[in-house]
Amino acid sequence: MSFTITSYSITAFAQSTNQTSTSPQSPQQQQQQQQQNLLCKLTESDMLGPFYKEGAPFKQRLSEGVKEGERLIITGKVMDNRCQPIKDAILDVWQANSTGDYDNEGFTLRGKVKTNNGGTYLIDTIIPHEYAAGDITRPGHVHLKVGSPNQPILTTQLYFEGDPYLSGLEDKSLILKLADENGTKKANFDFVIEHYEEYEK
């Protein structure tokens, strides 16, 4: 098995801070300016990889039926770039198992979860193992597609702090800090994605 890894980064958006008017702002203008200053930075994208498979079912637990591996729980929110939570956003998740293999026949360690009314999600899975990819070893990572119906989809990956196989090419904002709680690894990550109200009309 071999494939080419392409490293790239995307500038999510640019915000101008130039003020061309010196006249006092009305309360409404001040509120609009405050809202513009509260923009959240979009989550960095990452490569899709060769192992994505459509049709994954919704699952309460991604690691359902998996007997080996260290349990991992990732929680957080999905928000738009105004930092507002997005309810019913879908996270399509897939990853390798504890020996670095993907299930390409079924949907083990593949599944979808949906955010609640507060934009919160929970992924209950295991720590993915590193694996050889051509001449390199890929660090453990979790793949995700994040979005809502009729909206742009973010494709990205999450990595783990301290993984000896991190190459330095991974965007630092995508590296999770793990905490240990009674033998379960836990991490928090908030996704910020493109979301346009006009698409929903």
Side-chain angles (χ1 to χ4, degrees), residues 16-199:
S16 173
T17 58
N18 294 332
Q19 299 294 328
T20 56
S21 174
T22 57
S23 59
Q25 291 182 320
S26 69
Q28 183 178 4
Q29 288 173 325
Q30 290 176 355
Q31 184 178 13
Q32 289 175 343
Q33 185 64 47
Q34 288 174 350
Q35 289 175 342
Q36 289 177 356
N37 291 338
L38 289 176
L39 289 176
C40 284
K41 185 179 184 301
L42 294 176
T43 299
E44 291 290 336
S45 62
D46 205 333
M47 62 182 178
L48 177 68
F51 300 117
Y52 176 67
K53 184 178 179 181
E54 294 185 356
F58 283 91
K59 290 183 179 182
Q60 287 291 327
R61 188 172 183 182
L62 201 69
S63 57
E64 182 179 293
V66 177
K67 297 181 179 180
E68 296 183 0
E70 190 173 12
R71 191 178 183 191
L72 167 67
I73 295 178
I74 306 172
T75 56
K77 287 187 176 183
V78 177
M79 301 179 291
D80 62 23
N81 68 345
R82 298 279 182 184
C83 309
Q84 297 301 304
I86 303 174
K87 69 175 183 177
D88 296 330
I90 296 171
L91 296 88
D92 191 350
V93 189
W94 69 105
Q95 65 170 80
N97 63 13
S98 62
T99 59
D101 297 311
Y102 287 82
D103 177 13
N104 295 312
E105 301 297 326
F107 290 98
T108 301
L109 295 175
R110 297 175 182 270
K112 294 174 183 173
V113 298
K114 184 182 289 188
T115 60
N116 63 17
N117 288 340
T120 299
Y121 73 89
L122 184 149
I123 298 170
D124 191 341
T125 184
I126 63 169
I127 296 285
H129 201 271
E130 72 274 1
Y131 58 85
D135 296 330
I136 67 167
T137 298
R138 291 228 60 209
H141 56 279
V142 175
H143 292 271
L144 304 103
K145 284 187 167 190
V146 186
S148 9
N150 304 315
Q151 296 286 342
I153 301 296
L154 166 72
T155 299
T156 194
Q157 300 180 38
L158 297 179
Y159 304 90
F160 305 99
E161 187 177 68
D163 190 315
Y165 295 100
L166 289 171
S167 67
L169 297 176
E170 302 83 8
D171 192 280
K172 291 182 180 179
S173 67
L174 300 177
I175 299 176
L176 299 179
K177 292 184 178 180
L178 294 176
D180 190 281
E181 187 175 312
N182 299 321
T184 295
K185 293 291 192 274
K186 293 189 175 183
N188 184 272
F189 190 89
D190 292 334
F191 293 93
V192 181
I193 63 174
E194 294 179 275
H195 190 272
Y196 305 103
E197 292 182 1
E198 59 267 26
Y199 283 17

